[in-house]
Amino acid sequence: MRGPNEVTASAPAKINLHLGVGPVRADGYHQLATVYQAVDVVDRVTVRSAGTYDVTVSGDDRLPLDDIPLDGGNIAVRAARLLGKRHGVQRAVAIHIHKQIPVAGGMAGGSADAAATLVACDALWQLGCSREDLLDVAAELGSDVPFSLVGGTAIGTGRGETVVPAMVRGDYWWVVVESAAGLSTPAVYREFDILHAAGEVPVPELPEPLMEALRNHDVERLGVTLRNDLEDAAIRLRPELGDVLAAGVSATALGALLSGSGPTCVFLCSSTQHASEVSSALLHSGFGPVSLARGPVAGAWVERTG
Ligand code: C5P
């Protein structure tokens, strides 16, 4: 049977509501205990059969699209190649990425592109991959890619790649403050290591009060239980992030958090109305670009086949 010519898939950005960072493992990664939430900021990926791999990118003017690699180093190309190799697919694909997720912002934009590419190629090549198969390929591509497939709100362990859905009630509103320049994830982890060089880093644990706040949709409690162990390291590399986080709290946000390894900062709010007020206050104080996001949303999904 002849397959589709073109498939478009989307995948969401993520916030780590809790990012517990533990000791460095033998493979160089840090042991994590994290709680992810997917939010409604999405990248859209279109794949089309082609003679050679090719990447093009479009998106909002505010995003530094020039920083995105257009060659085999792009994680979307790595995703398509790896899936193709596992299933004996000989053809290549041309990949177009329409970006909405901040670039190198700590919101798993690259992982979203990889996850969307996996589900799009699965549909284009009519592989009928099981969820386990896709999750396995995803874990090989990067620590956050499995969560980009799963979405919702989920617990991540291992190096972040072992993902189990969490019990959560209701919607959560976030104000997102981007930075003009991205931060390198390895550089932030390196700074974390320098900060903790003198003492032993404890094994990270899952935060029961935070899990309970999610189960009960207790937004105020959630606000005070948010935690990111990479925050101090990121602030050392970018001191102004401390000012952004403090400004969000002054602007009445229920909680302030660096997203992943940063530099994007997110602020928990009680409603859309509250999020609009916090975002106006942040803009008024000179911080931005500012946008609103809602979570949880689904993981990568196919939008259109043609
Ligand atoms: O898995 P991923 O390729 O996204 O990781 C990017 C980098 O982030 C790694 O090379 C490593 O420096 C750091 N990292 C880490 N521990 C983790 C996840 C990422 O040290 N659990």
Side-chain angles (χ1 to χ4, degrees):
M1 198 177 75
R2 206 171 150 266
N5 293 317
E6 188 178 285
V7 177
T8 299
S10 292
K14 61 86 182 154
I15 292 170
N16 299 82
L17 309 180
H18 177 91
L19 182 50
V21 181
V24 183
R25 313 188 313 186
D27 62 4
Y29 284 90
H30 292 75
Q31 188 178 339
L32 298 189
T34 189
V35 181
Y36 294 107
Q37 182 163 90
V39 295
D40 64 350
V41 181
V42 300
D43 278 1
R44 184 168 290 126
V45 172
T46 300
V47 297
R48 189 167 37 80
S49 290
T52 52
Y53 282 95
D54 176 48
V55 186
T56 50
V57 180
S58 61
D60 201 303
D61 286 348
R62 75 188 152 76
L63 296 174
L65 300 177
D66 293 347
D67 293 351
I68 299 170
L70 299 178
D71 56 16
N74 190 298
I75 191 166
V77 175
R78 292 205 287 118
R81 278 213 163 106
L82 187 58
L83 187 72
K85 192 169 153 213
R86 288 219 182 174
H87 291 272
V89 176
Q90 304 293 338
R91 291 158 290 167
V93 283
I95 302 173
H96 182 75
I97 305 171
H98 186 77
K99 289 213 71 82
Q100 192 189 4
I101 305 173
V103 177
M107 295 188 82
S111 303
D113 299 347
T117 303
L118 290 178
V119 299
C121 286
D122 179 37
L124 183 77
W125 295 329
Q126 301 189 297
L127 301 175
C129 289
S130 67
R131 193 168 178 78
E132 287 64 36
D133 192 3
L134 287 180
L135 285 170
D136 198 49
V137 179
E140 203 172 318
L141 291 163
S143 306
D144 293 336
V145 184
F147 175 71
S148 302
L149 284 175
V150 171
T153 306
I155 292 165
T157 52
R159 57 179 235 276
E161 89 288 16
T162 305
V163 178
V164 179
M167 269 269 287
V168 178
R169 226 175 244 123
D171 287 339
Y172 298 85
W173 291 95
W174 301 92
V175 170
V176 179
V177 178
E178 288 173 37
S179 283
L183 260 178
S184 141
T185 301
V188 177
Y189 273 103
R190 262 197 311 276
E191 195 65 27
F192 175 91
D193 292 340
I194 293 168
L195 267 173
H196 294 85
E200 202 169 303
V201 180
V203 170
E205 286 180 11
L206 285 172
E208 189 40 46
L210 181 138
M211 303 311 296
E212 194 180 293
L214 287 169
R215 280 196 298 273
N216 297 330
H217 196 249
D218 185 340
V219 186
E220 281 192 20
R221 182 105 191 280
L222 180 64
V224 295
T225 51
L226 298 170
R227 173 176 147 178
N228 182 343
D229 286 351
L230 292 178
E231 216 160 83
D232 290 347
I235 290 172
R236 269 171 56 121
L237 294 174
R238 266 309 156 74
E240 62 270 29
L241 293 176
D243 302 333
V244 182
L245 293 168
V249 174
S250 301
T252 78
L254 301 175
L257 193 64
L258 180 82
S259 179
S261 58
T264 306
C265 293
V266 295
F267 302 94
L268 181 64
C269 298
S270 56
S271 62
T272 345
Q273 170 68 26
H274 184 214
S276 300
E277 287 162 16
V278 170
S279 105
S280 299
L282 281 163
L283 277 173
H284 190 72
S285 310
F287 296 102
V290 176
S291 54
L292 305 190
R294 180 183 55 83
V297 299
W301 70 95
V302 170
E303 280 201 353
R304 195 167 47 82
T305 54

